[in-house]
Amino acid sequence: MESISSHILAALLFLLAFTTSMDSASAARPTAGGTNTEFIRTSCSATTYPKLCYTSLSTHAAAVRHDPKLLAHTALSVTLDSARSTSTMIGKLSHIRGMRPREVGAMQDCVEELSDSVYQLSRSMKEMNEIKGSNFGMIMSDVQTWVSAAMTDEDTCMDGFAGKVMNGKVKTAVREKIVNVAHLTSNALALINRYAALHN
């Protein structure tokens, strides 16, 4: 039974590595519209993780054009997709037989934190669609608060994998995905802040 569990775990880790490499490959593809990608590159230089920012957003250059609001909204959308897929992946891993109770507990806690993060990011995207001239300040304040809350959820999730709670392969795979979501969220918040500053 234990060998079946280890085979399933190995298959899930392979699938995780494959989807991560596919995401990286598609994000690294060159895009048409040099000035649009240059706008994204320049905007991303103000983020904490500019390389990740550029690779995750450059494929959207044609849709974003030179619009800071669309760029911030797209960054939120990319982050939301990543948070959802990471939450689903961790949820599946937590049901593998042979895991210790502490490992399962850390994963279930993380799924709960990521679910809240997904909620905060979703409501931020919806709220940004409601921006009008008169309510800009109030809406942007809400969005900044909610995206910051999503980052806190992701950090709390990562804390659950500190120390020796989990074995090497699972811990490395899960932590890598969570760190990626946290970095995307940080970048999205930086682009939201930049959009708010340009408006004021």
Side-chain angles (χ1 to χ4, degrees):
M1 193 65 142
E2 193 170 314
S3 73
I4 291 172
S5 296
S6 63
H7 288 303
I8 293 169
L9 178 59
L12 279 170
L13 290 174
F14 172 78
L15 184 62
L16 172 63
F18 180 73
T19 56
T20 301
S21 67
M22 291 295 289
D23 289 347
S24 300
S26 65
R29 259 187 239 128
T31 52
T35 59
N36 294 339
T37 55
E38 196 52 43
F39 167 71
I40 290 175
R41 187 183 308 280
T42 302
S43 300
C44 284
S45 68
T47 67
T48 307
Y49 309 99
K51 185 176 178 184
L52 175 64
C53 178
Y54 180 76
T55 57
S56 64
L57 296 173
S58 60
T59 56
H60 303 278
V64 169
R65 298 180 308 276
H66 291 168
D67 188 329
K69 179 183 177 185
L70 282 175
L71 182 60
H73 197 276
T74 302
L76 272 175
S77 177
V78 167
T79 303
L80 179 58
D81 289 345
S82 181
R84 280 186 178 136
S85 66
T86 298
S87 180
T88 300
M89 182 269 299
I90 294 171
K92 288 177 182 173
L93 282 176
S94 71
H95 291 96
I96 292 176
R97 290 181 186 273
M99 293 185 71
R100 296 185 308 243
R102 285 188 67 195
E103 293 174 332
V104 173
M107 288 186 147
Q108 289 174 341
D109 288 347
C110 189
V111 168
E112 193 175 311
E113 295 294 338
L114 285 176
S115 293
D116 190 61
S117 177
V118 164
Y119 170 70
Q120 302 291 357
L121 294 168
S122 295
R123 70 197 294 214
S124 297
M125 284 186 64
K126 287 176 190 163
E127 193 79 350
M128 280 191 73
N129 288 331
E130 302 300 318
I131 290 177
K132 299 173 184 69
S134 59
N135 66 4
F136 183 87
M138 184 181 70
I139 285 182
M140 289 309 293
S141 177
D142 286 346
V143 169
Q144 289 164 322
T145 299
W146 296 335
V147 176
S148 294
M151 283 180 63
T152 301
D153 291 329
E154 293 150 12
D155 287 343
T156 303
C157 174
M158 282 191 289
D159 290 345
F161 297 99
K164 298 180 180 178
V165 174
M166 304 189 78
N167 76 42
K169 288 180 185 175
V170 174
K171 179 178 178 176
T172 301
V174 169
R175 192 168 168 79
E176 184 179 295
K177 291 293 270 185
I178 297 164
V179 166
N180 186 62
V181 173
H183 289 181
L184 287 170
T185 307
S186 170
N187 286 343
L189 182 58
L191 294 172
I192 288 164
N193 291 342
R194 185 173 186 269
Y195 168 54
L198 287 172
H199 189 273
N200 291 333

